Amino acid sequence: MAFDYKKEYKEFYLPPKKPGLIEIPEMNYIAVRGKGNPNQPEGEYKAAMQLLYGIAFTIKMSYKSGKEIEGYFPYVVPPLEGLWWQQDVEGIDYAHKESFEWISMIRLPEFAEEEVFGWAVREASEKKKSDFSKVEFFTYKEGLCVQCMHIGSYDAEPETIARMDAYAKEQGYKPDFSGTRFHHEIYLSDPRRSKEERLRTVIRHPVRPV
């Protein structure tokens, strides 16, 4: 049976709807950086999705190409994630999506280190005749965070975030956004196939003691 990160690490991917504190370890990702409104039909965000999944499935299906990767195991490609920020804004201002800056990413399995990533970029570039130069090997150590499962539209996230902020304050913590710590979302639903009110998104914010 294929290894499923969502099921094996429920504390990271399937938190309750009630906010809680969690320590997130260092993880490696396939990542693409960009700017602008993610809802633009021909924007950078849509292009990033094609690049990310192109590399993710090249690694997942590597055994079919004859590539032998030490430690390889069958797995389900982890969910899409995103780090979001805006210049001179703490947190996220949903009224000005055109000013979003983001890193879209997909977690890499433990065996997929930089050498494997490099091979996948070369392999995908050759087979798909596309430019994958924007894709990077990205390591992110998130540290202490408050997180919560958000149910509903992305535009309704401020309500969930307000509950997260209140919980963190009650526990003696406050937001800790910086140039290396961001508003983090993990997308468990496909918006093309799920009703807006049923979308499931993990929201995670960095915190530190007051």
Side-chain angles (χ1 to χ4, degrees):
M1 182 177 293
F3 187 92
D4 189 335
Y5 283 87
K6 296 191 303 298
K7 295 179 180 179
E8 299 297 331
Y9 294 101
K10 292 181 179 179
E11 67 272 28
F12 299 150
Y13 300 104
L14 297 171
K17 289 183 284 186
K18 180 180 178 181
L21 294 168
I22 187 168
E23 183 78 26
I24 307 297
E26 183 175 280
M27 301 181 194
N28 294 327
Y29 296 87
I30 308 161
V32 176
R33 299 171 187 262
K35 297 180 180 180
N37 189 333
N39 298 321
Q40 289 180 332
E42 303 301 325
E44 289 186 39
Y45 191 79
K46 183 178 179 181
M49 298 302 100
Q50 296 176 338
L51 296 175
L52 287 173
Y53 283 103
I55 300 302
F57 280 96
T58 296
I59 295 174
K60 173 181 169 64
M61 307 305 292
S62 57
Y63 64 93
K64 288 194 173 182
S65 70
K67 172 70 172 177
E68 294 185 6
I69 301 175
E70 184 177 355
Y72 178 90
F73 53 83
Y75 67 100
V76 176
V77 171
L80 176 69
E81 306 186 34
L83 305 177
W84 300 84
W85 69 95
Q86 291 154 305
Q87 294 297 324
D88 302 319
V89 175
E90 180 172 282
I92 290 292
D93 178 1
Y94 290 83
H96 295 282
K97 295 177 182 177
E98 72 282 356
S99 65
F100 279 162
E101 298 186 43
W102 41 264
I103 301 174
S104 288
M105 55 196 198
I106 297 174
R107 182 178 179 174
L108 284 165
E110 288 72 16
F111 63 78
E113 298 182 348
E114 288 195 65
E115 184 277 328
V116 173
F117 169 81
W119 166 83
V121 170
R122 294 190 298 272
E123 180 80 359
S125 299
E126 181 178 339
K127 286 193 172 183
K128 298 179 182 295
K129 306 300 180 184
S130 297
D131 181 8
F132 284 86
S133 60
K134 288 187 177 181
V135 186
E136 63 181 271
F137 182 92
F138 179 64
T139 300
Y140 190 45
K141 186 173 183 179
E142 204 158 10
L144 183 63
C145 297
V146 58
Q147 73 174 9
C148 186
M149 180 70 77
H150 170 74
I151 308 294
S153 73
Y154 303 129
D155 288 340
E157 287 182 5
E159 300 170 16
T160 299
I161 292 171
R163 291 192 288 112
M164 292 167 58
D165 289 344
Y167 172 81
K169 185 176 181 180
E170 290 171 359
Q171 302 301 313
Y173 294 88
K174 65 179 181 179
D176 188 30
F177 297 106
S178 70
T180 57
R181 307 188 79 199
F182 308 99
H183 172 92
H184 187 173
E185 298 182 0
I186 303 175
Y187 308 104
L188 303 178
S189 305
D190 185 340
R192 299 169 301 178
R193 301 176 181 177
S194 300
K195 292 183 178 180
E196 190 176 69
E197 63 271 17
R198 294 183 180 178
L199 292 174
R200 295 188 305 156
T201 307
V202 179
I203 301 177
R204 192 179 288 163
H205 278 184
V207 294
R208 63 182 174 87
V210 173

